[in-house]
Amino acid sequence: MSTAVIVGAQWGDEGKGKVIDYLAKKADLVVRGQGGNNAGHTVVVGDKKYALHLIPSGVLYEDTLNIIGNGVVIDPEGFLKEIDGLNEKGVKTDHIYISDRAHVVMPYHKEIDRLSEELRGEKKIGTTQKGIGPCYMDKVERTGIRIVDLISDKIETIIRERVAYKNFLIEKLYESPPLDVDKIVEDYLKYAQRIKPFVRDTGVIVYNALQEGKKVLLEGAQGTMLDIDYGTYPYVTSSHPISGGFAIGSGIGPNMIEEVLGIAKAYTTRVGSGPFVTELFDETGDLIREKGHEYGTTTGRARRCGWFDAVAVRYSARVNGMTSVALMLLDVLSGFEEVKICTGYQYKDQVIMDFPSSLDVLDECEPIYETIKGWDEDITEATTFEELPVNAQRYVRKIEEIINVPVKIISIGPKRSQTIMIGEIF
Ligand code: GDP
Ligand code: IMO
Ligand code: MG
């Protein structure tokens, strides 16, 4: 296999950063294809912890090219802060390229993200307020600014024109003070100078690497259940976190994608608003949150927690064409008397097996659980599947059976060493 896509199988934060970092030692390229710095991917190496937002999670390997593809939306300020932060920690960043076709997140995107959320009131999406939705809106409306524009000599004119229009909206529609255009011009001219050396036609680089038989890891951000088409709309993000998103966001054709590795937590979490059928509102939910340190990498918000939802992950397996699964944070479930897997949804007198589109239906769905005996042992030092307690093995096998995709990786802690490989990925 020379191309593997790593996708979030749930609502994000499944541990994609850990898996990418783990697999990146074998990869020639790691490529992001959608989202922006709404992502927060954690990589733990020894006693150091890295929270990556825009920069791909292969950055710690100097021989691996790290590419931010055309489908990503780039906040230059966020990008440069991340570069500086990594450099301060002694991490080199000259093996990072960004696509000339990627769109630029502007201050008005962030402001409109914030103002729109305020307007939505109780119905707010709970966005990360990084300007992601408004930036993708402009891209689709054909008024976006691309990296190629940012580094051109026309950028000042472009910014002045766009800010005038957005300020009109901010003042008249949102009744909020306008943004300072001179400050934006000054900042973005500086960003442009610093960003220029990173810019390439990255699609060509990815394509050529594949032609040469190199190994390419495609790093998904967010998760399938946050996909703009397949997620719990409108409580979703504004891009395609599924495997197909890479055929658009990285510059290669769909036939070049081989392995599709879905990353799933051994339970479920979600940040922000929206349906969550297996959500736990009791002390079990609190215990999972505390044991799993379930607080957002990007916003610090407490994550909502619940049992493993196999209806959602089976759906996710289908829409991604998943060929394997990495089951993450299994260690967090040690110590529970019993663990539960949701195998179907009870909706009135019907049993639903395929994830429904209607939020009204989801609202009334009750989880149907299969209960498995728990295990008490600390599993964070296990090195093989056989070393896991029998009930933990049963739990993994049961999930595998219900979602009908082989589990090839089991993660039992945040560190690289706390990874059990059951099959080859790459
Ligand atoms: P991502 O957005 O999918 O990359 O996931 P995040 O980094 O936002 O959240 C996953 C969190 O779980 C991070 O704090 C990781 O360090 C941590 N983590 C990853 N795998 C494991 C695991 O197997 N066990 C435990 N206890 N923590 C893990
Ligand atoms: P990673 O890559 C979890 C959620 C937000 C909100 C919704 C829309 O770390 O898994 P947005 O700012 O994208 O318009 O917010 O999507 N969200 C994430 N949740 N992990 C993420 O990324 C997320 N990125 C966005 O909380 O509910
Ligand atoms: Mg995250």
Side-chain angles (χ1 to χ4, degrees), residues 12-14 16 39-42 297-298 303:
D13 301 328
E14 299 92 345
K16 299 175 292 293
H41 296 179
T42 315
T297 314
T298 300
R303 295 175 182 149

Side-chain angles (χ1 to χ4, degrees), residues 12-85:
D13 301 328
E14 299 92 345
K16 299 175 292 293
K18 166 173 170 168
V19 176
I20 294 279
D21 167 72
Y22 185 81
L23 297 174
K25 64 175 181 283
K26 281 204 210 162
D28 298 294
L29 268 75
V30 177
V31 187
R32 278 278 305 268
Q34 45 70 229
N37 59 353
N38 48 349
H41 296 179
T42 315
V43 174
V44 177
V45 183
D47 56 1
K48 285 199 177 137
K49 190 169 170 174
Y50 304 86
L52 301 162
H53 301 284
L54 265 166
I55 293 181
S57 305
V59 70
L60 301 181
Y61 298 94
E62 287 177 18
D63 296 332
T64 303
L65 269 188
N66 283 264
I67 289 181
I68 303 177
N70 57 279
V72 177
V73 289
I74 299 175
D75 175 354
E77 185 189 8
F79 172 76
L80 293 168
K81 265 196 192 147
E82 251 186 283
I83 293 279
D84 293 342

Side-chain angles (χ1 to χ4, degrees), residues 206-268:
V206 180
Y207 181 82
N208 288 345
L210 285 171
Q211 293 299 312
E212 290 164 22
K214 292 192 170 156
K215 286 186 181 291
V216 178
L217 261 186
L218 302 164
E219 176 175 0
Q222 290 78 55
T224 303
M225 305 312 287
L226 290 169
D227 183 278
I228 186 82
D229 270 56
Y230 295 105
T232 46
Y233 191 90
Y235 299 100
V236 292
T237 192
S238 299
S239 69
H240 286 295
I242 61 162
S243 57
F246 280 96
I248 297 161
S250 64
I252 59 168
N255 57 337
M256 289 178 163
I257 296 171
E258 296 164 314
E259 181 92 21
V260 179
L261 172 64
I263 315 296
K265 275 180 177 159
Y267 46 93
T268 311

Side-chain angles (χ1 to χ4, degrees), residues 20-260:
I20 294 279
D21 167 72
Y22 185 81
L23 297 174
K25 64 175 181 283
K26 281 204 210 162
D28 298 294
L29 268 75
V30 177
V31 187
R32 278 278 305 268
Q34 45 70 229
N37 59 353
N38 48 349
H41 296 179
T42 315
V43 174
V44 177
V45 183
D47 56 1
K48 285 199 177 137
K49 190 169 170 174
Y50 304 86
L52 301 162
H53 301 284
L54 265 166
I55 293 181
S57 305
V59 70
L60 301 181
Y61 298 94
E62 287 177 18
D63 296 332
T64 303
L65 269 188
N66 283 264
I67 289 181
I68 303 177
N70 57 279
V72 177
V73 289
I74 299 175
D75 175 354
E77 185 189 8
F79 172 76
L80 293 168
K81 265 196 192 147
E82 251 186 283
I83 293 279
D84 293 342
L86 286 168
N87 291 160
E88 275 163 27
K89 287 187 173 170
V91 179
K92 282 198 178 163
T93 49
D94 50 8
H95 54 322
I96 297 170
Y97 292 151
I98 64 182
S99 168
D100 49 1
R101 289 180 167 82
H103 278 247
V104 180
V105 176
M106 300 294 294
Y108 49 75
H109 292 135
K110 290 186 258 191
E111 182 66 355
I112 291 174
D113 198 353
R114 187 182 69 78
L115 291 166
S116 312
E117 281 284 88
E118 233 172 66
L119 266 186
R120 287 185 197 112
E122 293 229 311
K123 290 192 170 163
K124 73 170 190 225
I125 296 167
T127 74
T128 58
Q129 306 211 355
K130 300 286 180 189
I132 306 299
C135 185
Y136 278 117
M137 276 167 70
D138 279 2
K139 173 177 177 172
V140 177
E141 200 203 9
R142 295 157 296 181
T143 54
I145 299 178
R146 295 183 300 164
I147 292 287
V148 67
D149 305 315
L150 177 70
I151 60 170
S152 81
D153 52 15
K154 295 200 185 103
I155 189 59
E156 177 165 353
T157 316
I158 296 174
I159 291 177
R160 289 195 182 278
E161 185 190 296
R162 299 288 197 281
V163 174
Y165 175 67
K166 295 293 180 182
N167 269 345
F168 178 82
L169 292 181
I170 288 170
E171 284 187 270
K172 305 280 186 240
L173 188 65
Y174 295 98
E175 296 178 339
S176 200
L179 303 181
D180 178 350
V181 65
D182 294 326
K183 169 89 169 81
I184 298 175
V185 167
E186 188 191 327
D187 288 346
Y188 275 67
L189 287 177
K190 278 192 207 141
Y191 300 151
Q193 285 316 307
R194 281 199 64 197
I195 274 184
K196 218 173 197 167
F198 294 97
V199 181
R200 298 285 187 288
D201 184 347
T202 53
V204 175
I205 298 173
V206 180
Y207 181 82
N208 288 345
L210 285 171
Q211 293 299 312
E212 290 164 22
K214 292 192 170 156
K215 286 186 181 291
V216 178
L217 261 186
L218 302 164
E219 176 175 0
Q222 290 78 55
T224 303
M225 305 312 287
L226 290 169
D227 183 278
I228 186 82
D229 270 56
Y230 295 105
T232 46
Y233 191 90
Y235 299 100
V236 292
T237 192
S238 299
S239 69
H240 286 295
I242 61 162
S243 57
F246 280 96
I248 297 161
S250 64
I252 59 168
N255 57 337
M256 289 178 163
I257 296 171
E258 296 164 314
E259 181 92 21
V260 179

